[in-house]
Amino acid sequence: LSLAEKASLVGAFDYIVLKTLYSLRGKSEFVSFNSLRKKLDVKNDEELKISLLKLNELKLISKDPTEFSFRLTFSGLDILGIKMLYLNRILYKLAEIIGEGKESIVYHGYDFDNNRIVTKFHRVGTDSYKKIKFRKDLEKKDWLSITVENAKREFDALECIRREGGYVPKPLGVQYNAVAMEHINGKELYKKADTVNLKEILEKILETMRIAYNICNITHGDLSPYNILIDESGTPFLIDWPQATDSEEILKRDLINIATFFKKHGIEVDVHKMFDYVRGV
Ligand code: ATP
Ligand code: MN
Ligand code: MN
Ligand code: MN
């Protein structure tokens, strides 16, 4: 079943069960049937059991192998995001998958006026989780919270940069791990290098990085010709901002990545000048 099909099978009570599992996250990985029924204040255990069975079958939750305890899966979290984006009249319906990255699944979809939009569902993979697990500030956090924070961080980055005139997709909303944004009708820069005005594109990329760094206190952290989309008018859009942090070291690495690509395509670049421009010195 597709995510959209699963969403349509989730009834009002199932949805409340998912929401409650989310709200009880963190204390331990799995939530016991008992704490679930207490929190939900259900009169009839059967109704809850049936819902849990169904959600488990849809793989929106998973059961502890030994106890009668449950936790949300990534798909379960996706469903919460979809429902809330729908209730906020941002996402009318999901369509096909555009891309499955290391830390997300990206879907096409439609808003309530039938415009094409994009929804990115964040997922903290086991690899990236292992990496951050050792950071002190994140030590006590569960993967659901980390994933939701990543989505919020990407939305906030898009919102600030866009508001200040940078070239990023217009953010439309964020709910749980789901970030809805404008759909850019185009292709990644690495596929378009021979048919576009590279000088103009480089200027817009640097302008966007300057706004991000100076005004929004954000560095991209994974900037490359794969994370820059070129639309039909030849305008670049910088995407994929979840790892955004504020670091000069990372900024330099991003700039070197970009400079290498443009040099390879015959554009003269001076990394030091770029670095000074973006930092505003
Ligand atoms: P990665 O593996 O590169 O870290 P990711 O999981 O972080 O990927 P993104 O790079 O944000 O995800 O998006 C994955 C792909 O989805 C992009 O390479 C792009 O092709 C497509 N995409 C993302 N956002 C948009 C958008 N706003 N409009 C059109 N296509 C998009
Ligand atoms: Mn597309
Ligand atoms: Mn990417
Ligand atoms: Mn990414």
Side-chain angles (χ1 to χ4, degrees):
L1 288 184
S2 73
L3 199 51
E5 286 166 325
K6 287 184 184 184
S8 70
L9 293 174
V10 171
F13 183 70
D14 304 323
Y15 175 64
I16 292 168
V17 173
L18 291 175
K19 237 170 95 165
T20 308
L21 277 174
Y22 179 79
S23 77
L24 292 172
R25 76 194 178 281
K27 286 159 201 106
S28 59
E29 199 186 0
F30 291 92
V31 177
S32 72
F33 181 79
N34 253 343
S35 30
L36 199 53
R37 63 190 278 275
K38 240 187 255 155
K39 181 88 178 186
L40 277 164
D41 199 19
V42 281
K43 313 233 157 20
N44 152 12
D45 281 6
E46 272 321 293
E47 191 189 11
L48 179 54
K49 278 184 190 158
I50 289 167
S51 172
L52 287 168
L53 203 70
K54 170 180 167 188
L55 293 170
N56 191 45
E57 226 155 83
L58 290 170
K59 296 197 164 70
L60 301 180
I61 64 175
S62 69
K63 190 190 151 310
D64 186 301
T66 54
E67 324 256 318
F68 201 52
S69 303
F70 302 86
R71 66 165 167 76
L72 270 188
T73 62
F74 275 127
S75 303
L77 190 61
D78 296 345
I79 297 292
L80 289 176
I82 293 170
K83 291 265 173 185
M84 281 306 284
L85 286 174
Y86 178 82
L87 290 175
N88 283 279
R89 299 187 67 82
I90 290 164
L91 172 67
Y92 179 66
K93 79 173 203 262
L94 276 186
E96 75 283 3
I97 295 182
I98 309 177
E100 207 165 338
K102 292 183 294 290
E103 57 262 317
S104 75
I105 302 187
V106 181
Y107 279 81
H108 269 303
Y110 295 91
D111 71 7
F112 281 71
D113 299 317
N114 213 33
N115 299 307
R116 241 171 197 281
I117 64 168
V118 158
T119 305
K120 176 171 176 174
F121 297 94
H122 283 252
R123 335 199 118 186
V124 177
T126 36
D127 281 353
S128 52
Y129 185 60
K130 272 179 201 145
K131 253 182 265 154
I132 50 181
K133 214 166 83 179
F134 300 105
R135 269 178 53 185
K136 260 228 147 60
D137 51 327
L138 294 172
E139 230 165 44
K140 292 212 173 63
K141 292 206 180 139
D142 57 288
W143 59 266
L144 286 173
S145 302
I146 296 169
T147 304
V148 168
E149 275 168 28
N150 284 353
K152 179 76 166 62
R153 200 169 332 121
E154 178 161 41
F155 179 85
D156 289 345
L158 291 174
E159 195 174 55
C160 180
I161 298 165
R162 177 79 181 203
R163 186 182 62 232
E164 300 297 335
Y167 296 92
V168 295
K170 183 177 185 218
L172 304 172
V174 62
Q175 294 291 342
Y176 296 92
N177 64 332
V179 182
M181 66 184 102
E182 173 190 13
H183 171 246
I184 306 301
N185 196 12
K187 290 224 153 49
E188 288 87 355
L189 174 58
Y190 78 96
K191 289 182 185 157
K192 293 270 264 197
D194 301 323
T195 58
V196 290
N197 185 335
L198 286 176
K199 263 204 167 127
E200 255 174 43
I201 286 175
L202 178 58
E203 263 171 39
K204 290 183 170 138
I205 292 171
L206 293 176
E207 196 181 330
T208 304
M209 291 173 77
R210 195 177 60 79
I211 289 169
Y213 192 78
N214 271 321
I215 304 176
C216 305
N217 299 314
I218 294 162
T219 354
H220 187 287
D222 189 23
L223 199 61
S224 76
Y226 292 86
N227 279 331
I228 299 169
L229 301 176
I230 310 294
D231 78 0
E232 286 157 323
S233 73
T235 307
F237 289 85
L238 280 59
I239 60 163
D240 199 4
W241 292 83
Q243 48 274 312
T245 50
D246 180 4
S247 150
E248 246 186 38
E249 211 48 51
I250 292 170
L251 175 64
K252 202 171 210 166
R253 203 181 62 198
D254 278 350
L255 283 171
I256 290 170
N257 272 347
I258 289 302
T260 306
F261 174 82
F262 280 91
K263 254 189 247 167
K264 209 173 75 195
H265 288 90
I267 305 293
E268 261 183 63
V269 292
D270 179 334
V271 180
H272 291 288
K273 267 196 195 149
M274 280 166 48
F275 195 47
D276 285 346
Y277 168 73
V278 170
R279 286 184 305 158
V281 289

